[in-house]
Amino acid sequence: MKKISIAIDGPAGAGKSTIAKALAKKLGCIYIDTGAMYRAVGLYCIQNGINYHNENDVSQIMQTLQVDIYSEDNQQFIYLNGKDVSLEIRTDEVAAAASKVATYKEVRAALVRQQRQMQSAKSVVMDGRDIGTVVMPDATLKIFLTASVSERAKRRFAEYQHKGIAVTLEKLTQEIIDRDNQDSSREISPLKKAEDAVEVDTSLLTIDEIVDKIMSFIIK
Ligand code: DC
């Protein structure tokens, strides 16, 4: 079968990982969550007392840091220096650190290199912020997923309630606004729609509807 690559970009909470995972399963591709790689770098800083606001310090650790992603049965595992950190990276503290380290040139260069190697080896569905613009400008299909801030905050709120984590909708709304600002306003590879990407607003659609819509672009 011909190798394909699908790029899914968009802001935090637009539904990228859910949709990308479902697409990868349907298409028999590997799913790569590039946000998890930036989160792994953020986690390393937090766990090792590295000030992630200091670009020099973070750039230095990139020379030896090993971040690996494995997919098995459509499930993804992320390893940091050989240790499985798939669950540890899913906190708000790590998300904030990831968003900061993602503004640094050396961090992006190292992770983008790895992401391109994965694309050249296999058919992939990759999600992130710069996949269609920087990582895979030659992707078979580029999707830019969006949803309103209030819808994204509501989704995250429901997720937290489900996990039994106490948080207010106001706090989550503010966190989403802050992260959108940081991800879209940075100098290197900011979050933006590639010119040839198809924009899909997920606010009023179910997961199945979104997946069907994207599949229709692939089949065409
Ligand atoms: O998708 P996520 O929320 O897990 O990503 C965490 C942070 O990593 C996000 O705030 C921005 C950054 N990121 C990035 O800059 N480029 C990517 N391709 C993926 C994520």
Side-chain angles (χ1 to χ4, degrees):
M1 203 182 98
K2 201 171 134 247
K3 205 155 64 60
I4 58 167
S5 47
I6 316 265
I8 313 264
D9 289 302
K16 294 186 300 294
S17 62
T18 308
I19 301 303
K21 242 186 248 175
L23 278 173
K25 192 170 181 191
K26 268 196 179 219
L27 293 164
C29 296
I30 306 263
Y31 163 56
I32 300 166
D33 167 7
T34 62
M37 300 171 82
Y38 291 93
R39 283 172 182 260
V41 177
L43 177 71
Y44 183 87
C45 293
I46 292 168
Q47 288 185 334
N48 293 278
I50 289 152
N51 175 8
Y52 60 76
H53 293 282
N54 185 317
E55 181 166 0
N56 274 338
D57 290 356
V58 179
S59 300
Q60 198 117 46
I61 62 158
M62 288 314 287
Q63 291 169 17
T64 52
L65 199 70
Q66 175 94 19
V67 175
D68 295 299
I69 276 197
Y70 299 107
S71 273
E72 212 177 271
D73 297 333
N74 206 38
Q75 228 199 319
Q76 189 183 260
F77 300 93
I78 180 115
Y79 284 75
L80 180 59
N81 289 338
K83 181 176 170 258
D84 183 355
V85 292
S86 313
L87 293 178
E88 278 169 273
I89 58 168
R90 300 288 161 204
T91 67
D92 288 341
E93 190 192 7
V94 174
S99 183
K100 187 67 201 172
V101 300
T103 64
Y104 304 148
K105 192 170 95 214
E106 305 272 342
V107 174
R108 300 207 74 83
L111 299 186
V112 167
R113 198 179 317 121
Q114 238 179 301
Q115 290 153 13
R116 287 188 178 143
Q117 277 165 3
M118 290 188 269
Q119 180 208 3
S120 67
K122 300 246 166 70
S123 281
V124 295
V125 177
M126 202 179 280
D127 77 10
R129 305 294 190 288
D130 60 339
I131 310 305
T133 51
V134 176
V135 180
M136 314 197 302
D138 56 343
T140 318
L141 175 69
K142 300 178 186 179
I143 301 290
F144 194 78
L145 282 189
T146 59
S148 64
V149 170
S150 66
E151 179 60 34
R152 290 187 279 139
K154 266 193 267 167
R155 285 179 191 168
R156 195 127 293 179
F157 187 65
E159 215 176 287
Y160 276 59
Q161 280 197 315
H162 184 71
K163 288 182 188 163
I165 301 170
V167 68
T168 64
L169 189 59
E170 289 69 30
K171 181 170 182 280
L172 291 179
T173 305
Q174 193 54 51
E175 275 173 11
I176 283 184
I177 292 170
D178 291 346
R179 209 132 73 86
D180 279 0
N181 283 340
Q182 182 146 277
D183 294 344
S184 315
S185 65
R186 68 175 177 233
E187 231 169 272
I188 315 163
S189 312
L191 167 68
K192 77 167 191 260
K193 178 180 165 294
E195 269 177 28
D196 50 350
V198 184
E199 184 161 344
V200 177
D201 187 332
T202 67
S203 303
L204 302 172
L205 299 174
T206 65
I207 293 167
D208 286 345
E209 284 168 341
I210 303 162
V211 172
D212 287 349
K213 193 170 179 151
I214 298 174
M215 284 300 288
S216 76
F217 300 139
I218 300 170
I219 289 159
K220 249 184 228 163

